[in-house]
Amino acid sequence: FVAVGIPGTQNLRDSVVSGSFRKVGGPDGGGYGLILRDQEPESRDGLNQCGHYYVFEAGDRGQVGLWLRDGDRWIDLLTWTTSDAVRRGTASNELTVSAIGDHLSFLVNGVPVASQTDTVLHSGAAGVFVGGDGNEVALDRIAVRVPR
């Protein structure tokens, strides 16, 4: 697993984070995605994944999932679920997470795939996440926007 913070995104409240990801190598399975409302962004160095944050992922098998990281354990909010919005294999996928107030919404390639009411984390940093043994992923674009 790799978790990396996006510089300059500390203490975001309302935000929209989007990134264009594609799998470039490794075995079938694994995922890639966005970290939102990270309470400890300074520790998101690519090695340390402990902390308090949300992860929204898509995978090369056409699935999406949503988890809350609570210290050193994962809490399933949406276990891996098949979604027609996800392009499989090595195709590029555009992931977008919108966090406005207590409402989190998740889109893949512009299609809404999940939503969640946030009762735990109300602000924090953004980042990127790659999961799965040997999963190699390219991040072609990342954008963080604060709605006005």
Side-chain angles (χ1 to χ4, degrees):
F1 297 94
V2 176
V4 179
I6 300 171
T9 64
Q10 295 80 357
N11 299 317
L12 293 175
R13 287 197 177 277
D14 292 351
S15 60
V16 179
V17 182
S18 60
S20 179
F21 296 83
R22 60 190 163 85
K23 183 167 183 141
V24 295
D28 285 347
Y32 44 79
L34 300 169
I35 294 172
L36 204 64
R37 295 190 169 172
D38 187 349
Q39 303 299 292
E40 303 162 29
E42 62 282 348
S43 64
R44 219 61 53 231
D45 60 4
L47 299 174
N48 181 8
Q49 59 177 296
C50 288
H52 300 282
Y53 53 89
Y54 293 102
V55 172
F56 169 61
E57 284 187 80
D60 63 342
R61 294 179 177 159
Q63 298 174 313
V64 296
L66 171 63
W67 294 269
L68 171 63
R69 185 67 171 184
D70 183 20
D72 63 352
R73 67 187 183 104
W74 292 105
I75 297 172
D76 295 339
L77 300 176
L78 174 65
T79 58
W80 283 117
T81 302
T82 299
S83 173
D84 291 338
V86 180
R87 297 181 189 115
R88 295 172 178 258
T90 58
S92 181
N93 283 291
E94 178 78 17
L95 308 184
T96 303
V97 179
S98 173
I100 309 298
D102 287 346
H103 186 73
L104 305 176
S105 57
F106 308 95
L107 293 87
V108 176
N109 299 315
V111 177
V113 295
S115 64
Q116 179 79 26
T117 299
D118 178 7
T119 59
V120 179
L121 308 175
H122 302 288
S123 66
V128 296
F129 190 89
V130 176
D133 294 336
N135 193 21
E136 298 175 26
V137 174
L139 174 62
D140 294 321
R141 187 188 62 75
I142 191 78
V144 178
R145 182 173 60 87
V146 177
R148 303 241 178 248

